[in-house]
Amino acid sequence: ERESLYPATSKLLNCETNKICLDDLAREQFINKTFDRFKLNTGKIKAKEVEGLVGVISISNEFFGTYQDWKTKNYFGIGRLFGQFLIYEFNTGKIIQNVPFAVRAVHDQSSPFSEKDKEDLFQRLVLPNTGEANFFDEAYKKSKGLDPINLPGKFTKIGKVDFTKAALDSFLATDEKYFGSKFGQFFESELVGRTDAHFIPMSLGSSTLKNKLQLKFGDRSRELTVPAAAFKVDILVRMAKLFETNRGSQRTICPAVAITLNVASEIDTVTNLKFAIMKDACGVTSSEQKLNMRYRFSRSLFSLLQNMAKQFGMPDPSTEWLAKNAKGNDGKDVKEEIKKLRKEVFDADF
């Protein structure tokens, strides 16, 4: 799965064949760091130890998008790298904390992006002093304030991100499983960053069977126990459609995306809400410009999910935003539904 989920950075996993590898980079970044509520020891845990907590930084996904600027004619590449910092009990293998996060880099050049260009873009996100946002710096920011003793009262999980066939065709996506997980992990990181929610990792690039997860460390693995999810969040991307108007040499494009959000407990549906982005996704380009619709629709979906997470994180969601982006909910009071979600699902305690 590594080559499918994060092909560029997975090439830095092998510390025997690479001069620079992810384990060494992580150790260098974290060895002198201090944390608010725990001390980090980068030494090995002896097998006879019965107690101890293990912190793991892992990469889970990469997302690449590209487009050509209609004015400068330069090509822009946008790389998003997804990961998480999780803590598990050494003796039981039980996951007790998980913080997902993402970093992003943008680069422009005069020619289209080759596979090597994409690889370089993602690897700059893990290498030090490149001028880009750094994956390990972000991991430290997200984990610095963690309290491993303060266990969450409940966990939530992003179950799946599905696409209707028409929407998947619009995105020009060929692998729905991996494609949807990128948006799911983005939404997960946004929700954790803006609410008090604790999420079970949507994906670690590893196999999950029932409540067990096989986590790979180089050439070894450890079976971890995944906490039961009190709530599951599913997303259906039901529509992706381009609206456009031409005016002389310019055209206005609106890559609209509509989704349905379903949140359920083990026994019942908590809520089912519809959201969409249209006007907020509009932009101007040349009438002759060839559009990369995979990038355009993906950008719209990322924006929609981010703004949804903002509403879930607000004590009082934006009436203006909801009026534009939460239509078609059959008379539901969407603001009150979001407040209910915040209290019942995205609060750390029961």
Side-chain angles (χ1 to χ4, degrees):
E1 287 186 325
R2 292 171 172 174
E3 289 72 22
S4 298
L5 292 168
Y6 46 103
T9 47
S10 67
K11 294 181 179 180
L12 298 179
L13 284 169
N14 194 321
C15 291
E16 294 182 1
T17 59
N18 290 318
K19 292 182 179 179
I20 300 174
C21 71
L22 292 174
D23 281 356
D24 290 343
L25 289 170
R27 192 175 295 108
E28 290 169 6
Q29 289 284 82
F30 273 75
I31 195 166
N32 294 318
K33 292 289 194 295
T34 58
F35 295 80
D36 296 343
R37 300 179 185 273
F38 63 91
K39 290 184 179 180
L40 182 69
N41 186 339
T42 57
K44 294 183 178 180
I45 299 177
K46 296 179 181 179
K48 64 181 181 180
E49 294 284 349
V50 294
E51 290 187 357
L53 299 175
V54 180
V56 179
I57 306 167
S58 62
I59 293 171
S60 56
N61 229 318
E62 296 170 354
F63 182 89
F64 177 78
T66 185
Y67 70 96
Q68 186 180 23
D69 184 86
W70 67 287
K71 290 182 178 179
T72 66
K73 305 302 181 184
N74 276 4
Y75 292 85
F76 282 75
I78 300 92
R80 296 178 189 266
L81 187 61
F82 302 94
Q84 54 271 313
F85 184 96
L86 68 81
I87 298 175
Y88 70 87
E89 294 175 340
F90 172 69
N91 56 337
T92 65
K94 180 181 178 181
I95 295 173
I96 60 172
Q97 298 273 7
N98 172 59
V99 182
F101 60 92
V103 289
R104 178 176 177 266
V106 180
H107 180 68
D108 68 290
Q109 59 189 44
S110 59
S111 58
F113 279 73
S114 65
E115 290 302 315
K116 182 64 168 62
D117 292 330
K118 296 177 189 178
E119 184 179 305
D120 289 344
L121 180 64
F122 282 109
Q123 292 188 4
R124 284 202 297 273
L125 284 168
V126 297
L127 296 173
N129 305 317
T130 62
E132 306 288 356
N134 184 269
F135 180 82
F136 296 107
D137 285 346
E138 190 66 18
Y140 175 64
K141 291 177 187 176
K142 297 295 185 182
S143 60
K144 185 177 184 296
L146 276 182
D147 184 357
I149 307 301
N150 184 19
L151 302 182
K154 61 176 177 285
F155 284 89
T156 300
K157 181 181 180 180
I158 304 288
K160 57 187 177 181
V161 178
D162 284 338
F163 293 75
T164 64
K165 185 181 184 306
L168 198 64
D169 289 344
S170 295
F171 272 84
L172 306 177
T174 56
D175 192 332
E176 182 180 357
K177 175 186 175 183
Y178 293 128
F179 191 63
S181 71
K182 301 175 194 296
F183 297 102
Q185 287 166 21
F186 175 79
F187 193 40
E188 179 185 72
S189 66
E190 287 289 320
L191 286 171
V192 169
R194 299 177 188 277
T195 71
D196 294 326
H198 285 261
F199 275 77
I200 295 170
M202 184 183 180
S203 171
L204 288 170
S206 309
S207 58
T208 304
L209 182 62
K210 294 184 178 179
N211 68 329
K212 300 293 183 181
L213 182 144
Q214 201 72 17
L215 184 63
K216 295 180 180 179
F217 298 92
D219 59 351
R220 299 191 180 187
S221 62
R222 172 69 196 267
E223 187 176 76
L224 302 184
T225 301
V226 180
F231 299 97
K232 187 172 72 168
V233 178
D234 291 328
I235 295 170
L236 173 65
V237 182
R238 65 181 193 275
M239 186 272 286
K241 185 175 181 180
L242 179 66
F243 296 88
E244 59 182 322
T245 58
N246 287 280
R247 189 173 183 178
S249 61
Q250 294 184 359
R251 62 173 165 167
T252 300
I253 58 170
C254 302
V257 174
I259 73 165
T260 299
L261 178 80
N262 187 77
V263 183
S265 67
E266 292 182 340
I267 58 175
D268 199 9
T269 298
V270 178
T271 194
N272 185 283
L273 298 172
K274 294 179 180 179
F275 297 93
I277 180 171
M278 183 172 174
K279 290 184 178 179
D280 292 342
C282 295
V284 177
T285 185
S286 166
S287 296
E288 299 178 356
Q289 179 73 37
K290 184 178 179 180
L291 301 177
N292 181 338
M293 295 315 303
R294 181 187 176 98
Y295 165 74
R296 299 284 178 176
F297 284 126
S298 296
R299 182 183 179 187
S300 293
L301 182 52
F302 279 130
S303 178
L304 178 59
L305 293 173
Q306 183 179 64
N307 279 287
M308 286 167 56
K310 287 180 181 179
Q311 306 311 312
F312 296 140
M314 291 179 178
D316 187 34
S318 168
T319 301
E320 181 182 355
W321 190 88
L322 293 176
K324 290 191 302 180
N325 302 96
K327 298 177 180 179
N329 279 290
D330 301 324
K332 291 179 184 175
D333 188 333
V334 179
K335 179 178 283 194
E336 290 305 314
E337 291 292 308
I338 290 175
K339 289 181 179 180
K340 181 176 72 172
L341 283 177
R342 178 183 171 88
K343 181 179 180 180
E344 294 182 15
V345 180
F346 300 135
D347 193 303
D349 299 315
F350 275 109

